């Protein structure tokens, strides 16, 4: 299905030019000081049919000049500004780079790629930042603006100096967005929307650093979803979409001052996805990988809209065009993925049932104290509140690893979902947890009394599976909601191995293996697509 095309928003990065060393840097220095006496002033020029306001100026750097540089005390850096229609803008910060750079005051070393033995010892760096321009537009715009400045100064400039972009060039920030009709966009930030569900299920997963930030109070009005952000670090990216490997921020936000007229685009929020160096262990993204970055951004944005039941096709009433977002169909469709939250939730349900069934009386006391007095208690406080010893507490933490953890002397639930389910059990009319497994199992349509000793039921819980019988068609189906691999090299459990485990568990329960072999089986493959087959053909 065709979906709407996203538009670029923020971009920051670095373009490195090694081929001609510092020649590009000195060319701009000559243009500024010989052509404009230090400042070009503001000028308006038409570039590719669009009016741009451009300027060129300088600032002093912290870099000491070399003996061969005809500069006193410290080198200059140059600022080129370009401002187009609406909020389209680009800023280029041109800086010298060479091996052995030192600070002009204290002589401290200033490192750069030129210090590497594998690279030339001189280069020109252009640090770029801007908005509402495609990444590949920036180097083209840089050359066109320099040509306009050179023409105004009556000087020549070799634009070939700014043509060959070195592989060390990078992107540090990249955001794309769509603008959505306000009432439709609210589905994105509701409790049932993908932002909240992803946070609830991932936030306190072991090792996770997922963060949700919500601000519903704008300067001129209170709006649900005024500024909501879900931060998903690199380590959690693959939990959301398979093969994704970059930390990112999902955003739902309005302008600072929200317009009251519904016919005005600024009345409606943007929904965007931002890739950022700081969310990727301070590692930037290669400039040459910008198409891959866009694909990951678009896949995240379009799929999370789908998971929130927001139509993603262009041409309807969902999307609102603005100065930079056309609400037009995408030229190339991204891949659609299944919402991962049901699978994550099913795994946590299975863990909950299995663990609660084996709880001791002391475990029950700790769980109730943790709910009553709040997650995040110091171990000694929790032991006191449960009226149990500290050594008993640490045995409780070992036994219930997966549901609770001790993180920097704060005992907490491992996920918001687990916390909510336990709290619901504790706060119910039958507030003791002796029958917790029975009550939790109802969430999964599992009869614990029948399955307490069932090997096959334990297999079903492990793989979030259900066993259905249709009396009308006399058809039995095993549905597995865990992703399974189909090749030995897959990082997921192989479907054949998982079904062999099912067969072994079935026989262990003294059931007729023929009944299982004749059943159909459905599972999710590594890409999240639903596959179907027969148990018999997959367990030979």
């Amino acid at each position: 299905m065709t979906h709407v095309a996203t538009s670029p928003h923020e971009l920051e990065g670095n373009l490195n030019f090694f081929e001609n060393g510092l020649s590009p840097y000195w060319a701009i220095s000559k243009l500024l000081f010989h052509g404009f006496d230090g400042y070009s002033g503001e000028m308006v020029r038409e570039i590719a049919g669009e009016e741009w306001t451009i300027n060129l100026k300088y600032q002093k750097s912290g870099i000491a000049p070399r003996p061969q540089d005809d500069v006193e005390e410290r080198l200059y850096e140059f600022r080129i500004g370009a401002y187009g229609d609406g909020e389209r803008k680009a800023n280029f910060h041109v800086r010298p780079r060479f091996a052995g750079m030192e600070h002009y005051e204290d002589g401290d070393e200033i490192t750069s790629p030129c210090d590497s033995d594998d690279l030339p010892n001189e280069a020109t760096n252009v640090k770029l930042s801007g908005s509402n321009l495609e990444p590949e537009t920036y180097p083209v715009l840089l050359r066109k603006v320099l040509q306009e400045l050179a023409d105004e100064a009556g000087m020549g400039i070799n634009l070939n100096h700014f043509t060959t972009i070195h592989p060390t060039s990078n992107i540090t920030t990249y955001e794309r967005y769509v603008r959505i009709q306000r009432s439709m966009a609210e589905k994105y930030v509701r409790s049932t929307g993908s932002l909240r569900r992803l946070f609830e299920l991932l936030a306190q997963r072991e090792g996770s650093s997922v963060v949700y930030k919500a601000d519903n109070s704008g300067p001129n009005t209170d709006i649900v979803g005024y500024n909501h952000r879900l931060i998903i670090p690199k380590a959690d990216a693959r939990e959301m979409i398979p093969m994704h490997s970059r930390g990112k921020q999902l955003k739902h936000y309005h302008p600072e001052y929200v317009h009251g007229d519904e016919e005005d685009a600024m009345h409606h929020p943007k929904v965007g996805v931002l890739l950022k160096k700081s969310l990727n262990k301070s590692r930037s993204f290669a400039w040459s990988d910008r198409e891959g970055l866009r694909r990951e951004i678009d896949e995240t944005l379009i799929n999370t809209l789908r998971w929130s039941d927001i139509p993603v096709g262009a041409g309807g009433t969902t999307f609102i065009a603005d100065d930079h977002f056309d609400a037009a169909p995408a030229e190339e469709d991204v891949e659609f993925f299944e919402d991962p939250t049901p699978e994550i939730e099913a795994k946590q349900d299975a863990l909950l049932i299995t663990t609660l069934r084996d709880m001791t009386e002391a475990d029950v006391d700790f769980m109730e104290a943790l709910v009553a007095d709040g997650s995040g208690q110091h171990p000694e406080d929790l032991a006191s509140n449960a009226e149990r010893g500290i050594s008993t507490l640490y045995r409780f933490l070992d036994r219930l690893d997966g549901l609770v953890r001790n993180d920097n002397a704060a005992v907490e639930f491992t996920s918001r979902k687990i916390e909510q389910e336990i709290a619901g059990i504790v706060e119910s009319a039958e507030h003791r947890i002796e029958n917790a497994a029975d009550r939790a199992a109802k969430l999964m349509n599992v009869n614990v009394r029948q399955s307490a000793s069932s090997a096959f039921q334990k297999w079903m819980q492990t793989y979030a599976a259900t066993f259905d019988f249709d009396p009308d068609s006399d058809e039995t189906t095993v549905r597995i909601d865990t992703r399974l691999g189909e090749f030995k090299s897959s990082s997921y459990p192989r479907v054949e191995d998982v079904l062999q485990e099912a067969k072994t568990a079935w026989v262990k329960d003294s059931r007729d293996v023929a009944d299982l072999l004749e059943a159909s089986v459905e599972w999710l493959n590594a890409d999240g697509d639903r596959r179907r087959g027969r148990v018999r053909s997959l367990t030979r």
Side-chain angles (χ1 to χ4, degrees), residues 96-278:
R97 290 292 182 261
F98 50 86
M101 288 193 303
E102 296 179 351
H103 193 272
Y104 80 101
E105 281 186 317
D106 52 29
D108 286 351
E109 179 184 7
I110 301 175
T111 60
S112 79
C114 294
D115 295 317
S116 171
D117 293 336
D118 300 328
L119 295 172
N121 60 12
E122 286 187 356
T124 299
N125 166 259
V126 179
K127 184 176 182 180
L128 64 87
S129 63
S131 59
N132 302 304
L133 297 169
E134 294 290 354
E136 52 270 19
T137 301
Y138 287 85
V140 176
L141 183 61
L142 172 63
R143 292 191 293 270
K144 290 185 177 296
V145 169
L146 284 171
Q147 185 62 66
E148 293 293 338
L149 290 166
D151 291 346
E152 178 69 18
M155 298 176 61
I157 188 168
N158 188 350
L159 297 179
N160 290 331
H161 288 342
F162 301 91
T163 300
T164 305
I165 299 173
H166 194 268
T168 57
S169 301
N170 60 44
I171 291 173
T172 56
T173 300
Y174 187 11
E175 179 186 358
R176 301 187 71 86
Y177 80 97
V178 296
R179 192 180 293 278
I180 301 181
Q181 198 272 342
R182 185 190 290 187
S183 61
M184 182 67 73
E186 287 179 358
K187 297 171 71 174
Y188 201 64
V189 294
R190 288 177 185 164
S191 61
T192 55
S194 55
L195 286 193
R196 293 288 187 131
R197 285 188 286 114
L198 285 165
F199 173 66
E200 296 293 343
L201 293 169
L202 292 176
Q204 295 184 37
R205 188 177 60 85
E206 190 75 27
S208 174
S209 300
V210 172
V211 176
Y212 193 93
K213 298 179 179 180
D215 177 5
N216 291 324
S217 57
N220 61 333
T221 185
D222 291 341
I223 295 178
V224 174
Y226 174 71
N227 193 329
H228 284 218
R229 298 167 188 251
L230 176 65
I231 300 169
I232 300 183
K234 179 182 177 71
D236 297 285
R238 191 165 295 166
E239 292 293 320
M240 186 166 60
I241 293 180
M243 308 308 293
H244 278 198
S245 59
R246 302 173 178 99
K248 53 186 67 73
Q249 185 179 123
L250 282 61
K251 305 167 63 175
H252 176 289
Y253 58 106
H254 285 268
E256 182 178 3
Y257 292 96
V258 183
H259 294 201
D261 183 1
E262 293 186 11
E263 298 300 317
D264 191 327
M266 302 293 276
H267 177 82
H268 306 279
K270 289 180 179 179
V271 174
V273 172
L274 171 72
L275 294 181
K276 203 171 184 66
K277 177 180 176 181
S278 61

Side-chain angles (χ1 to χ4, degrees), residues 49 59 254 339:
Q59 67 184 53
H254 285 268
D339 182 353

Side-chain angles (χ1 to χ4, degrees), residues 425-451:
I425 292 169
V426 170
E427 294 167 0
S428 66
E430 301 175 21
H431 74 280
R432 295 291 292 177
I433 309 182
E434 282 88 343
N435 297 320
D438 282 336
R439 291 196 293 276
K442 291 177 183 178
L443 301 172
M444 297 174 62
N445 297 317
V446 175
N447 188 326
V448 177
R449 286 179 294 275
Q450 294 178 354
S451 63

Side-chain angles (χ1 to χ4, degrees), residues 287-413:
W287 177 261
S288 60
D289 195 25
R290 56 192 181 278
E291 283 302 317
L293 302 180
R294 174 172 180 167
R295 184 167 54 253
E296 183 157 332
I297 290 172
D298 284 358
E299 285 180 350
T300 303
L301 181 49
I302 296 301
N303 278 284
T304 53
L305 291 176
R306 290 179 58 245
W307 301 340
S308 300
D309 294 327
I310 296 175
V312 296
T317 58
T318 299
F319 299 101
I320 306 295
D322 60 29
D323 289 344
H324 309 294
F325 170 62
D326 296 332
E331 294 182 3
E332 294 184 14
D333 291 341
V334 300
E335 185 173 356
F336 288 172
F337 295 91
E338 292 294 326
D339 182 353
T341 56
E343 180 180 338
I344 297 170
E345 188 170 17
K347 287 180 179 179
Q348 294 190 4
D349 280 338
L351 175 65
L352 184 66
I353 293 170
T354 302
T355 307
L356 292 184
R357 183 182 298 137
D358 299 326
M359 286 176 62
T360 67
E361 289 186 7
D363 295 338
V364 172
D365 291 339
F366 285 124
M367 280 294 196
E368 292 184 338
L370 195 56
V371 169
D373 296 294
S375 185
Q377 296 178 53
H378 190 279
E380 292 182 356
D381 293 335
L382 179 57
S384 175
N385 292 333
E387 298 182 356
R388 294 282 183 172
I390 192 70
S391 60
T392 307
L393 170 67
Y394 285 114
R395 288 195 295 272
F396 156 75
L397 291 171
D398 287 339
R399 280 193 302 273
L400 273 73
D401 182 39
L403 295 188
V404 292
R405 65 183 176 205
N406 182 11
D407 186 10
N408 293 322
V411 180
E412 60 187 12
F413 292 101

Side-chain angles (χ1 to χ4, degrees), residues 15-17 21-25 94-95 97 122-126:
L15 301 178
N16 293 325
F17 300 95
L22 283 167
S23 294
Y25 167 81
V94 183
R95 305 181 293 182
R97 290 292 182 261
E122 286 187 356
T124 299
N125 166 259
V126 179

